[in-house]
Amino acid sequence: MKRIFSGVQPSGNLHLGNYLGAIRNFVRLQDGYECVYCVVDLHAITVWQDPAELARNTRECAATFLAAGIDPERSVIFNQSRVAAHARLAWIFNCVARLGWLNRMTQFKEKAGKQRENASVGLYVYPSLMAADILAYKATHVPVGEDQKQHLELTRDIAQKFNHDFGIEFFPLIEPLIFGEATRVMSLRDGAAKMSKSDGSEASRINLTDDADSIAHKIRRARTDPEPLPHSPDGLAGRAEAANLVGIFAALADRTAEDVLAEFGGRGFADFKPALSELAVAVLSPIAAELRRLMADPGYVDSVLAAGAERAAAIADPVLDEVHEIVGLAAR
Ligand code: AQP
């Protein structure tokens, strides 16, 4: 069976973008693939994390996977720092990737911003670690949101160069799986900015822990324009905030944007927002309730992570052994 790998950073406040762009797809893919889903705590520390918060967020991220419907019997759920193969392969990939490749990464530019000289080296080589995450499992398919596309292209480049340098077809060339009606959910306050955990404004995102009142409040306050909704998606051009809310509605309802606009076209946001709130609450509330239940049972979540780490290491360690042999490094 084909193998999937994907990860989510435990950097707090998992949101609707993480859910619609990634986690919901993780759940659905369990039917056709062998799935490995990772809480990428080593990625999270590329920017400062309070240690106690990081530990809590790691558990909460794993609990979110479970609450959303990832089955720990069928899929492997674990956290990255427990499986040494990730960091070890990342170092080897740091020696394969070229500076010029990393210099082109837009996520580094966005996250480092004007403080580039003060950004951690880890943030810069983040894509090498991501390539290692995936290729330590020889995964072939990687479900992610649109924002991770460039990093996956770099993973392909690293795999290709490794194979070429050592004259062996060892690593597969991965395929990104970017699908659904909301592959890039935007901020509720700014249609030009991605919905993000690190946005300073709570009103910009719907957190997966939000209760019904906060979801409704945030949707009521979401930025829009004064025009009614158009009758087809073409009419959303130049209306980023409206397009975002329609995309969210379509994704939550498992409908197309065309279909949603066939129902709401010609109507204003005073009609659309309450319908969106009702839908968002209906989809997200059961997940939030299950998440709360799981967080009250930390022993269970920790046991899932421990068992998952053993299964993950059993796949990744032999791959690393082969890599050592190919590269000429000592056997472990
Ligand atoms: N706004 C989004 N729309 C669709 N998909 C998204 N993803 C993230 N934001 C959106 C997808 O969620 C998965 C996990 O992402 P991540 O948390 O590991 O890192 P990120 O992409 O850097 O997410 P954030 O929220 O923007 O975090 P911060 O603010 O900490 O940097 C990935 O598949 C991602 O594509």
Side-chain angles (χ1 to χ4, degrees):
M1 201 194 282
K2 288 182 171 149
R3 186 176 292 145
I4 288 227
F5 179 94
S6 198
V8 176
Q9 294 186 73
S11 36
N13 294 327
L14 289 196
H15 52 73
L16 185 63
N18 297 130
Y19 180 63
L20 293 177
I23 298 170
R24 189 174 69 165
N25 293 345
F26 298 177
V27 176
R28 295 179 174 186
L29 288 162
Q30 293 181 108
D31 289 331
Y33 297 86
E34 176 191 359
C35 297
V36 182
Y37 294 130
C38 186
V39 179
V40 288
D41 47 7
L42 295 175
H43 276 104
I45 61 166
T46 56
V47 297
W48 169 251
Q49 304 292 331
D50 173 80
E53 280 285 295
L54 177 63
R56 189 191 177 282
N57 287 336
T58 297
R59 189 180 286 138
E60 186 172 274
C61 187
T64 306
F65 285 178
L66 297 168
I70 298 176
D71 173 359
E73 298 295 321
R74 277 200 290 166
S75 299
V76 180
I77 299 177
F78 72 108
N79 57 315
Q80 191 183 25
S81 59
R82 283 178 185 249
V83 179
H86 294 250
R88 291 172 52 211
L89 187 57
W91 178 256
I92 294 169
F93 285 169
N94 280 338
C95 303
V96 173
R98 305 288 94 180
L99 271 183
W101 300 356
L102 290 172
N103 284 340
R104 285 195 288 276
M105 294 298 110
T106 52
Q107 181 172 292
F108 176 76
K109 290 180 196 162
E110 280 163 19
K111 289 200 171 172
K114 294 197 176 71
Q115 304 298 317
R116 196 185 157 98
E117 295 295 311
N118 275 329
S120 73
V121 175
L123 188 64
Y124 186 71
V125 295
Y126 182 116
S128 297
L129 177 58
M130 184 162 158
D133 297 337
I134 298 163
L135 295 173
Y137 299 87
K138 289 194 165 181
T140 49
H141 294 77
V142 188
V144 285
E146 177 73 38
D147 60 320
Q148 292 300 324
K149 201 169 166 206
Q150 193 185 32
H151 286 163
L152 294 188
E153 282 158 11
L154 191 88
T155 297
R156 284 173 71 98
D157 291 341
I158 288 176
Q160 214 156 16
K161 184 163 177 357
F162 181 97
N163 291 349
H164 178 267
D165 287 354
F166 294 100
I168 180 170
E169 284 306 308
F170 186 71
F171 287 119
L173 297 187
I174 54 149
E175 291 294 336
L177 295 176
I178 300 173
F179 63 95
E181 285 289 329
T183 55
R184 187 175 177 84
V185 177
M186 308 308 280
S187 156
L188 298 180
R189 306 299 302 157
D190 174 4
K194 192 183 76 137
M195 186 178 283
S196 160
K197 304 186 200 98
S198 49
D199 193 314
S201 161
E202 267 290 317
S204 69
R205 65 179 163 264
I206 294 176
N207 297 316
L208 296 180
T209 47
D210 282 349
D211 61 18
D213 284 349
S214 348
I215 294 175
H217 181 68
K218 288 177 183 178
I219 292 177
R220 232 181 358 259
R221 285 192 57 203
R223 210 165 128 184
T224 46
D225 56 43
E227 302 299 316
L229 284 166
H231 291 277
S232 83
D234 297 346
L236 290 170
R239 299 179 64 188
E241 282 87 9
N244 189 36
L245 295 188
V246 170
I248 291 173
F249 192 112
L252 285 170
D254 261 325
R255 290 164 63 180
T256 61
E258 280 90 352
D259 192 33
V260 172
L261 291 174
E263 181 182 345
F264 287 97
R267 290 160 69 182
F269 287 98
D271 276 353
F272 184 68
K273 282 184 170 180
L276 177 58
S277 286
E278 198 183 319
L279 174 62
V281 169
V283 174
L284 300 178
S285 289
I287 299 173
E290 180 61 3
L291 178 54
R292 273 193 299 278
R293 192 189 70 74
L294 287 162
M295 286 303 281
D297 188 0
Y300 171 69
V301 180
D302 292 352
S303 73
V304 168
L305 287 171
E310 272 189 35
R311 287 166 69 192
I315 305 171
D317 287 349
V319 175
L320 252 287
D321 288 343
E322 280 188 85
V323 170
H324 271 225
E325 201 178 324
I326 293 166
V327 176
L329 299 170
R332 281 190 306 132

